[in-house]
């Protein structure tokens, strides 16, 4: 709920925003009072936002002598942010761990190799992108457009309705090995992961004949693959004082594997087979002595392809 008032009286708690005569007259006509009333109506109002979300899930874990641990989950989430056929999204995950240091044959080297564990997991998760909606939404501005005889409220439609709008999904696979030496004074972990993002929502350009210049919907898939290494060591430990250092290194590879907008151009910075946010440019051949500007040779793998698409469109 919002309100904006002028001329507040702290004694009565009321407001009185005076209407002044115009055009040098001492009289205030009825049309002027009407215009004033409409303007004041625009300084107060309320908006209501309602979301519905439902979740159903189950989980099970089995632990055998603290050596072998297996866990699995199943979950179904529903949201009113999507079309009626796409509201619910089924996710699952399964993971396991092997505490190798708990094996009997490891006890002979436990004074050196104090801990050793292997873990692995795979599963799906879902995400709700609140920037899009399956229904047609008009957003009203607090401003009015003035004409000769009236004031009109200004509104705009951001996106076209899309009943096929659906969840963003993420498939994750990971594998890790953790170890510790000398009663865990030296520890480390090596972890590998592979994430695949499905049905990502992106803003794409669409033909203007649709009534819109752009629209956001599920268009993309990308992968993130990486390796992380962490090493730590306790340099000094005296009573309650501990001095420990940790170092880590990571490598990540990102690639767009699917992107199917109705209109493609270089401004989108999205090309299949390249990382997101890739900057495309040509190879400089020097400075033109007549213009003083750099000259470039176009990239044959990206730019020329766009030129060919443009030439083909001129034939229709």
């Amino acid at each position: 709920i919002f309100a904006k008032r002028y001329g507040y009286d702290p004694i009565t708690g009321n407001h009185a925003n005076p209407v002044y005569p115009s055009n040098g007259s001492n009289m205030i006509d009825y049309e002027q009072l009407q215009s004033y009333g409409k303007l004041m109506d625009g300084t107060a109002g309320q908006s209501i936002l309602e979301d519905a979300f439902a979740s159903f899930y189950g989980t099970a874990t089995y632990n055998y002598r603290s050596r072998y641990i297996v866990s699995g989950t199943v979950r179904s989430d529903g949201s009113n942010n999507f079309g009626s056929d796409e509201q619910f999204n089924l996710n699952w995950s399964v993971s396991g761990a092997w505490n190798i240091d708990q094996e009997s044959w490891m006890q002979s080297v436990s004074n050196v190799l104090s801990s050793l564990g292997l873990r692995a997991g795979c599963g799906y998760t879902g995400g709700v992108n609140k920037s899009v909606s399956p229904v047609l939404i008009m957003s009203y501005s607090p401003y009015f457009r003035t004409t000769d005889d009236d004031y009109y409220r200004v509104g705009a439609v951001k996106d076209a309705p899309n009943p096929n709008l659906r969840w963003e999904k993420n498939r994750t696979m990971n594998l890790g090995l953790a170890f510790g030496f000398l009663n865990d004074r030296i520890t480390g972990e090596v972890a590998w992961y592979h994430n695949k993002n499905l049905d990502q929502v992106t803003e794409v350009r669409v033909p203007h004949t649709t009534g819109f210049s752009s629209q956001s919907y599920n268009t993309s898939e990308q992968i993130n693959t990486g390796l992380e290494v962490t090493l730590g060591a306790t340099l000094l430990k005296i009573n309650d004082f501990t001095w420990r250092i940790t170092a880590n290194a990571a490598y990540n590879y990102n690639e767009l594997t699917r992107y199917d907008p109705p209109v493609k151009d270089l401004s989108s910075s999205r090309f299949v087979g390249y990382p997101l946010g890739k900057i495309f440019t040509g190879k400089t051949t020097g400075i033109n002595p007549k213009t003083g500007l750099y000259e470039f040779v176009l990239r044959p793998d990206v730019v020329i392809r766009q030129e060919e698409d443009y030439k083909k469109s001129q034939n229709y």
Side-chain angles (χ1 to χ4, degrees):
I1 298 176
F2 64 93
K4 186 177 183 180
R5 291 291 182 263
Y6 300 89
Y8 175 71
D9 185 354
I11 298 178
T12 63
N14 296 323
H15 69 91
N17 190 21
V19 183
Y20 295 97
S22 59
N23 300 326
S25 173
N26 293 328
M27 302 295 294
I28 301 176
D29 57 21
Y30 181 70
E31 292 184 356
Q32 189 176 359
L33 288 176
Q34 279 188 318
S35 300
Y36 167 77
K38 292 178 180 179
L39 287 174
M40 294 305 296
D41 287 342
T43 62
Q46 68 177 12
S47 60
I48 299 176
L49 178 63
E50 181 179 356
D51 288 324
F53 196 90
S55 297
F56 306 91
Y57 64 92
T59 181
T61 302
Y62 178 74
N63 187 333
Y64 179 73
R65 295 186 178 182
S66 299
R67 299 178 185 175
Y68 315 107
I69 303 173
V70 179
S71 179
T73 62
V74 177
R75 179 172 181 140
S76 180
D77 298 316
S79 172
N80 65 344
N81 198 76
F82 307 103
S84 57
D85 296 334
E86 306 287 350
Q87 286 185 343
F88 280 88
N89 178 44
L90 182 64
N91 300 313
W92 60 267
S93 67
V94 60
S95 60
W98 179 21
N99 295 323
I100 307 175
D101 51 36
Q102 299 298 317
E103 298 287 353
S104 58
W105 45 269
M106 280 288 297
Q107 303 308 312
S108 59
V109 294
S110 60
N111 57 337
V112 178
L113 184 58
S114 52
S115 62
L116 183 64
L118 181 67
R119 59 176 175 82
C122 179
Y124 284 84
T125 58
V128 179
N129 193 318
K130 288 292 185 178
S131 65
V132 292
S133 173
V135 297
L136 182 68
I137 296 179
M138 173 171 283
S139 300
Y140 287 99
S141 169
Y143 304 102
F144 288 79
R145 180 168 295 170
T146 306
T147 64
D148 293 335
D149 56 356
D150 210 341
Y151 293 88
Y152 294 94
R153 193 71 179 271
V154 177
V157 178
K158 180 182 179 182
D159 287 317
N162 184 4
N164 297 320
L165 188 67
R166 55 191 179 272
W167 288 73
E168 293 182 323
K169 301 176 183 179
N170 180 35
R171 188 193 68 191
T172 301
M173 296 184 294
N174 57 76
L175 181 66
L177 178 66
F179 52 86
F181 295 95
L182 305 176
N183 198 23
D184 287 348
R185 292 183 66 92
I186 301 175
T187 60
E189 183 176 8
V190 179
W192 169 86
Y193 63 88
H194 179 84
N195 298 336
K196 186 172 184 178
N197 303 112
L198 309 170
D199 290 336
Q200 281 192 307
V201 174
T202 59
E203 185 180 50
V204 300
R205 295 180 59 188
V206 298
H208 287 223
T209 52
T210 61
F212 300 88
S213 60
S214 63
Q215 187 177 7
S216 298
Y217 61 94
N218 307 90
T219 61
S220 306
E221 292 182 2
Q222 66 167 334
I223 60 172
N224 281 282
T225 302
L227 185 68
E228 297 179 356
V229 179
T230 303
L231 294 174
T234 301
L235 301 182
L236 184 63
K237 187 174 183 180
I238 303 176
N239 297 329
D240 295 333
F241 175 78
T242 301
W243 180 17
R244 184 174 177 82
I245 61 172
T246 303
N248 66 288
Y251 168 79
N252 178 77
Y253 175 74
N254 174 276
E255 180 183 343
L256 186 68
T257 57
R258 183 179 70 86
Y259 183 54
D260 50 2
V263 178
K264 296 182 180 180
D265 62 353
L266 285 171
S267 62
S268 65
S269 297
R270 288 177 176 266
F271 288 94
V272 174
Y274 294 92
L276 293 181
K278 184 75 172 180
I279 298 177
F280 295 96
T281 183
K283 181 180 180 180
T284 178
T285 58
I287 299 177
N288 189 318
K290 296 181 179 179
T291 63
L293 302 176
Y294 278 98
E295 294 184 339
F296 297 88
V297 176
L298 298 180
R299 290 186 52 153
D301 56 342
V302 178
V303 181
I304 298 301
R305 186 174 61 200
Q306 299 298 314
E307 289 186 345
E308 291 176 352
D309 293 341
Y310 175 77
K311 293 178 181 178
K312 291 179 182 178
S313 67
Q314 304 304 306
N315 299 327
Y316 293 97

